[in-house]
Amino acid sequence: GENVEQHPSTLSVQEGDSAVIKCTYSDSASNYFPWYKQELGKRPQLIIDIRSNVGEKKDQRIAVTLNKTAKHFSLHITETQPEDSAVYFCAASYNDYKLSFGAGTTVTVRA
Amino acid sequence: NAGVTQTPKFRVLKTGQSMTLLCAQDMNHEYMYWYRQDPGMGLRLIHYSVGEGTTAKGEVPDGYNVSRLKKQNFLLGLESAAPSQTSVYFCASSYPGLAGDNEQFFGPGTRLTVL
């Protein structure tokens, strides 16, 4: 089955700085890569996703890049704000719905 | 719309007891999922369903059973609870790939403790 590794497990950044989270996957058939954000005590929510036919996707301050050859993808958050503090999960899937999640990255934005 | 709801929110069981977690969605989604979330391990898929009357095993199905008798409901059962099943359980639902929309909508979670 698919194995997704996520790094780092914790990330502390100064407000206004950028944050980068990296994930690798094992199954070359995976073609869908979503990112979910989970605030403390809340449910996970989709923030951005990318398909294997696209190398990069942006949505305001967040962007995701994908390197199919190396089987890794990354989440970039620019101009971080206190509300960006949360746990972020990457995931991979070969059929759009059966997701394999990474272990999560706890992001703390320092004021 | 209520979205995805879960019952109960909290539960404490003794080893060997049984219980059923209920998930309901009012978005007419075909696909539904049960995950467990443990510290440092992310979200792991227990069972899922691609339509009414269907179920399939996920990554960690042992010790759990599921049923999808109605499209809007997905039940997760623990027949004989074990301390290793102490976790936060999330239900989710999605509409399969229509116009590229694969977002899974999660419920608020159920915190289960097995003593």
Side-chain angles (χ1 to χ4, degrees):
Chain A
E2 174 67 277
N3 181 46
V4 178
E5 294 189 354
Q6 183 171 346
H7 300 280
S9 57
T10 61
L11 181 60
S12 180
V13 296
Q14 191 72 34
E15 183 176 355
D17 287 351
S18 296
V20 180
I21 304 169
K22 298 180 179 181
C23 290
T24 60
Y25 61 99
S26 61
D27 190 346
S28 56
S30 289
N31 57 10
Y32 175 62
F33 307 93
W35 288 86
Y36 283 78
K37 175 184 179 182
Q38 185 179 27
E39 297 177 357
L40 187 62
K42 300 293 180 64
R43 68 193 78 187
Q45 290 188 298
L46 179 72
I47 55 171
I48 195 168
D49 57 11
I50 192 169
R51 294 194 170 278
S52 58
N53 59 348
V54 175
E56 183 176 3
K57 184 176 179 180
K58 290 183 180 180
D59 183 3
Q60 299 182 334
R61 294 186 298 106
I62 60 173
V64 58
T65 59
L66 171 65
N67 184 325
K68 284 178 56 179
T69 303
K71 289 192 282 188
H72 66 71
F73 56 112
S74 301
L75 179 72
H76 304 253
I77 307 173
T78 59
E79 301 173 10
T80 53
Q81 300 171 5
E83 54 263 38
D84 295 328
S85 294
V87 180
Y88 292 80
F89 294 98
C90 63
S93 174
Y94 64 89
N95 60 9
D96 287 358
Y97 60 88
K98 194 175 174 185
L99 301 178
S100 295
F101 283 88
T105 297
T106 300
V107 174
T108 302
V109 179
R110 306 187 307 272
Chain B
N1 290 346
V4 181
T5 58
Q6 293 181 230
T7 308
K9 290 185 170 57
F10 303 93
R11 186 71 186 270
V12 178
L13 290 178
K14 294 182 179 178
T15 297
Q17 288 185 319
S18 63
M19 77 163 295
T20 300
L21 283 69
L22 172 63
C23 176
Q25 53 94 5
D26 61 1
M27 297 177 283
N28 200 33
H29 284 170
E30 288 291 336
Y31 291 9
M32 297 187 75
Y33 318 82
W34 275 108
Y35 294 92
R36 60 177 289 172
Q37 183 175 33
D38 302 291
M41 302 188 75
L43 293 151
R44 292 182 293 168
L45 184 64
I46 305 172
H47 286 281
Y48 64 99
S49 169
V50 298
E52 182 179 315
T54 74
T55 62
K57 294 180 180 179
E59 181 185 354
V60 288
D62 294 343
Y64 306 95
N65 57 76
V66 289
S67 64
R68 182 100 181 269
L69 299 179
K70 293 183 179 180
K71 184 177 183 178
Q72 64 268 32
N73 295 337
F74 195 28
L75 279 63
L76 178 71
L78 286 74
E79 290 186 347
S80 179
S84 60
Q85 295 178 304
T86 293
S87 187
V88 178
Y89 292 85
F90 284 99
C91 175
S93 70
S94 69
Y95 200 89
L98 184 66
D101 183 1
N102 300 287
E103 179 175 0
Q104 292 191 12
F105 293 84
F106 284 80
T110 295
R111 184 172 295 276
L112 174 66
T113 301
V114 183
L115 302 176

